[in-house]
Amino acid sequence: MNAEKRKAVWKKQLESNSVFVAEENGQIVGFASYGKERTNKHPSYTGELYAMYLLTEHQRKGIGKALMHKIAQELVDRDIHTMLTWAFEQNGACQFYEALGGKRIDRADVIIDGTSLSEVAFGWDTLENL
């Protein structure tokens, strides 16, 4: 991904306070960004998890689940009660989202740096129990 393009995206995300950062012993180990759904392709899903990343050695410790819980709380506080996210089909995150109740609602092929990849959209019809 292009660093300059991502810089503008992150500046906007940080200014909107739509990022949670996970830390352990004073070190950042992951983050999640979220907000209103951006495309309106799935109008029944009004919130979106834009990105979530955890360092490999900090996965499977409950950090991702805690981030998802905080995001759900924050979205509900903003009167947003549904959410979707996209993940690469080859990514282990798909199992994570399904374990948290996300259901597969769409699929798309994307090309990144000349490589064709499949993405899956996961949706939550309610955030109150997430």
Side-chain angles (χ1 to χ4, degrees), residues 36-43 45-46 48 50 84 86 106:
K36 290 183 178 180
E37 199 279 327
R38 300 172 283 188
T39 68
N40 204 29
K41 184 177 178 185
H42 300 281
Y45 298 96
T46 53
E48 182 176 354
Y50 303 143
L84 64 76
W86 288 86
D106 200 356

Side-chain angles (χ1 to χ4, degrees), residues 51-70:
M52 181 185 290
Y53 297 96
L54 290 174
L55 295 174
T56 303
E57 60 271 22
H58 294 278
Q59 295 174 7
R60 301 188 182 273
K61 293 183 173 183
I63 297 169
K65 187 175 181 178
L67 285 169
M68 289 289 283
H69 180 71
K70 289 294 291 178

Side-chain angles (χ1 to χ4, degrees), residues 4-105:
E4 284 304 311
K5 289 180 184 176
R6 299 304 304 162
K7 184 178 177 181
V9 171
W10 275 106
K11 186 176 188 311
K12 184 177 178 181
Q13 284 291 310
L14 292 171
E15 288 171 351
S16 70
N17 295 319
S18 297
V19 177
F20 285 117
V21 175
E23 65 90 18
E24 194 170 271
N25 299 321
Q27 299 293 314
I28 293 175
V29 300
F31 69 89
S33 62
Y34 62 96
K36 290 183 178 180
E37 199 279 327
R38 300 172 283 188
T39 68
N40 204 29
K41 184 177 178 185
H42 300 281
S44 60
Y45 298 96
T46 53
E48 182 176 354
L49 170 64
Y50 303 143
M52 181 185 290
Y53 297 96
L54 290 174
L55 295 174
T56 303
E57 60 271 22
H58 294 278
Q59 295 174 7
R60 301 188 182 273
K61 293 183 173 183
I63 297 169
K65 187 175 181 178
L67 285 169
M68 289 289 283
H69 180 71
K70 289 294 291 178
I71 289 166
Q73 284 181 319
E74 184 71 20
L75 289 173
V76 168
D77 287 348
R78 296 180 188 183
D79 201 31
I80 297 172
H81 299 273
T82 60
M83 178 178 76
L84 64 76
T85 193
W86 288 86
F88 291 117
E89 198 165 32
Q90 305 85 336
N91 190 327
C94 292
Q95 294 170 336
F96 170 74
Y97 296 132
E98 287 175 327
L100 290 177
K103 63 181 181 180
R104 291 175 185 246
I105 59 169

